[in-house]
Amino acid sequence: MTLPSSLTGDNAVLRLTFDGPLAVLTLHSPPLNLFDEAMWTAWRDAVAWLAAHPPRALLVRAQGRVVSAGVDVRVFAELDPKDAESFWRSRLGITQALEALPCPTVFAAHSLTLTAAFELALACDLVVATPQARFGLVERKVAFTPAMGGTQRLAERAGGARTRELVMTGDLYRGSVLADWGVINALFPPESFDTDAHSYAMRLATGPTRAHRATKEVVRRCLDGGVPAADAALPALAAAVTDTGDHRRAVTAFLTDGPEHTTDYQGH
């Protein structure tokens, strides 16, 4: 499985590596990890490759002092309004493709995370951060609105009132505050953040991936269509999980060794 050239090598602005069952996608475009054409191209390549070759879990992280200062403002200066709809539709497609990956996804934010990067974080299943990390959808500074799906995904997590506050003020919010809002799932101290975030994601990668996929689908059905839509889909999803090797091995191990058993999940 050859990786796209945009995701490997010393000049790659986004790097895809693996630690056993865990895929790790690292923003690496110092000093600010800005979203420009090269970064977006790499993201398109990454989510397309991961959709075709799903890992057991994905960790998204960043190298450097900041996670990302967001979209390179030169993008707005150079964009022809006649091309704007198709331009932003394609960028929203990256968010949607990341959200649709069939494995658990974790976004790890150790510091400043703005605009496009924050929007992609909100497309992940789980977000972890340091208490001091700062987040913002600050498009108001260029009289714009978040266009990669961050507003609606923030509203799913924090509600409409908090979302309007964050987007309309353009203020920055600490990880500790967003954890209180339900946007951040876990907070880790700065001194051990990389290790803690990696362990958090690895726990998912070594778990029952097919069951996690079903959980993602049930939650999505509920968010899109309410409890009745989730109920309608659940029996078939549960039946598919019942037919996996992970489920059968885990049941056997539970009956043999008790609830504290260790199961070798293989994703089948």
Side-chain angles (χ1 to χ4, degrees), residues 179-266:
D180 288 341
W181 289 12
V183 176
I184 304 296
N185 296 94
L187 297 172
F188 301 129
E191 57 270 18
S192 61
F193 182 75
D194 286 344
T195 300
D196 290 341
H198 191 278
S199 297
Y200 189 90
M202 185 60 81
R203 178 183 177 189
L204 299 174
T206 55
T209 305
R210 293 285 298 276
H212 291 331
R213 178 177 182 175
T215 298
K216 287 182 64 158
E217 181 66 17
V218 171
V219 171
R220 176 47 51 195
R221 296 291 185 105
C222 185
L223 291 172
D224 290 345
V227 170
D231 283 352
L234 182 57
L237 291 168
V241 175
T242 301
D243 196 35
T244 64
D246 276 353
H247 173 69
R248 292 192 296 273
R249 282 190 296 274
V251 170
T252 299
F254 188 102
L255 293 174
T256 302
D257 302 321
E260 301 305 319
H261 68 280
T262 298
T263 301
D264 178 22
Y265 295 113
Q266 299 174 15

